[in-house]
Amino acid sequence: MSSPMHWLVVLLTLASILGCWWLIVWSAKQGDPSKGHEDTLDKVWDGDLRERNQPLPRWWLILFYLTIVFALAYLALYPGLGNFAGTLGWTQDGRYRSEVAAVEDVYAALYARLTAMDYPEMVENAEALQVGHRLFAANCTTCHGSDGGGAVGFPSLRDDEWLWGGDFASIEHSITHGRSGVMPPWGAALGESGTEQMVAYVKSLSGMDHDPAAAAAGQARWGMCVACHGVQGEGNPALGAPSLRDQVWLYGSSDEAIAAVIRDGRNGQMPAQKDLLSPEKIKLLTAYVAALSQ
């Protein structure tokens, strides 16, 4: 917060509290005969019913004064006056971190015991998978779904098709460091007809219905794709290039969906979790994700 805004917040806050104090004092004086005020207003109803103007009960006034004292004490101890952090140094981030640390202390022994096993043992251990499932639900379901089935643009973890490899080391690397997959756009190089021909050839690789003549023309252009997808379209896990010979389509298998990928390219991003999750949690997640595909 800038310095002018800081002082504006401070002045408005303190002025509001001072205004509340003045209003209470002023109201308490109204209608008090000892202060020279009349205890009735200049209004009479039904001939003899007068509207009285008595001061507030003392216990009620004390409660109002206590709220002002509480407000001043709170603003002295906690953040609330612009950039002033409060004498206790309390912050939301600090409170969150302390709560996380407390939880980590509680579960540290459990994580240590479960991750002392190697991966094959963890995959067969019901308790390890249960903990891994909870970690998955808290950290991975937004993209991969609650059952790991994925969505358009987010791979399923329940099959045996892996963009970056499905062994334990590859899965752990994906979770820890993330992945960046890039499919360059070829629309400018292929043109509209060339894109349609390439769509036909890609469909032929996976055994889908296609135009044979267009597929043959697309095959003649396949050389530009070999470096990533391989000579036979088998893919390359080292680059995250998917196989085109199965029935697994990350962005859809319609002509329009395949054409969009070829024409416009794609940029897939798996965020790294190393700064969010401990090595023990990552190991438990790795075992759980590996178990999903089994």
Side-chain angles (χ1 to χ4, degrees):
M1 187 183 298
S2 63
S3 181
M5 183 59 67
H6 160 74
W7 287 111
L8 178 62
V9 171
V10 171
L11 290 175
L12 288 177
T13 302
L14 295 180
S16 298
I17 295 175
L18 180 62
C20 290
W21 173 82
W22 174 84
L23 182 61
I24 295 171
V25 173
W26 178 81
S27 299
K29 291 180 179 179
Q30 302 306 304
D32 188 347
S34 65
K35 298 290 192 300
H37 297 279
E38 296 292 337
D39 67 348
T40 59
L41 298 175
D42 190 20
K43 293 181 180 179
V44 180
W45 310 94
D46 296 332
D48 60 352
L49 180 62
R50 295 181 178 275
E51 183 175 347
R52 304 185 68 83
N53 187 23
Q54 300 274 22
L56 291 173
R58 185 173 298 276
W59 66 269
W60 202 344
L61 291 174
I62 291 175
L63 289 178
F64 280 128
Y65 285 126
L66 287 176
T67 60
I68 293 177
V69 173
F70 174 82
L72 294 174
Y74 181 92
L75 292 174
L77 296 173
Y78 295 97
L81 287 175
N83 293 330
F84 178 63
T87 58
L88 294 181
W90 184 93
T91 63
Q92 289 181 325
D93 182 65
R95 178 62 179 270
Y96 169 76
R97 291 181 182 278
S98 65
E99 291 180 355
V100 169
V103 172
E104 294 292 347
D105 289 340
V106 173
Y107 288 99
L110 173 64
Y111 293 152
R113 176 169 57 82
L114 294 177
T115 55
M117 298 182 287
D118 56 23
Y119 279 124
E121 289 179 289
M122 293 176 67
V123 170
E124 299 296 330
N125 185 280
E127 186 179 17
L129 294 182
Q130 184 181 50
V131 175
H133 171 71
R134 291 172 180 170
L135 291 171
F136 186 89
N139 297 279
C140 311
T141 55
T142 300
C143 296
H144 293 288
S146 59
D147 63 347
V152 176
F154 302 98
S156 170
L157 305 176
R158 302 188 66 86
D159 53 35
D160 198 33
E161 299 297 327
W162 299 89
L163 290 175
W164 300 92
D167 59 280
F168 293 119
S170 297
I171 298 174
E172 182 179 329
H173 187 281
S174 296
I175 297 173
T176 304
H177 302 288
R179 299 289 189 178
S180 294
V182 178
M183 163 71 183
W186 293 104
L190 292 171
E192 191 62 32
S193 62
T195 299
E196 293 175 358
Q197 293 167 358
M198 193 63 75
V199 169
Y201 180 65
V202 168
K203 292 178 68 176
S204 73
L205 290 174
S206 61
M208 298 172 64
D209 292 337
H210 61 280
D211 181 346
Q219 185 177 11
R221 300 171 178 267
W222 182 249
M224 64 177 62
C225 308
V226 168
C228 294
H229 292 287
V231 176
Q232 302 297 327
E234 67 274 11
N236 186 349
L239 300 175
S243 170
L244 304 176
R245 303 188 66 85
D246 52 34
Q247 295 295 326
V248 178
W249 298 89
L250 190 58
Y251 293 98
S253 60
S254 65
D255 288 2
E256 294 78 9
I258 298 173
V261 175
I262 296 172
R263 181 178 58 250
D264 304 321
R266 291 289 185 182
N267 288 281
Q269 181 71 40
M270 160 69 186
Q273 302 297 312
K274 61 181 180 180
D275 295 330
L276 300 175
L277 302 174
S278 67
E280 292 79 12
K281 291 181 178 180
I282 289 175
K283 188 172 182 179
L284 286 163
L285 270 174
T286 298
Y288 177 75
V289 170
L292 283 176
S293 65
Q294 297 179 10

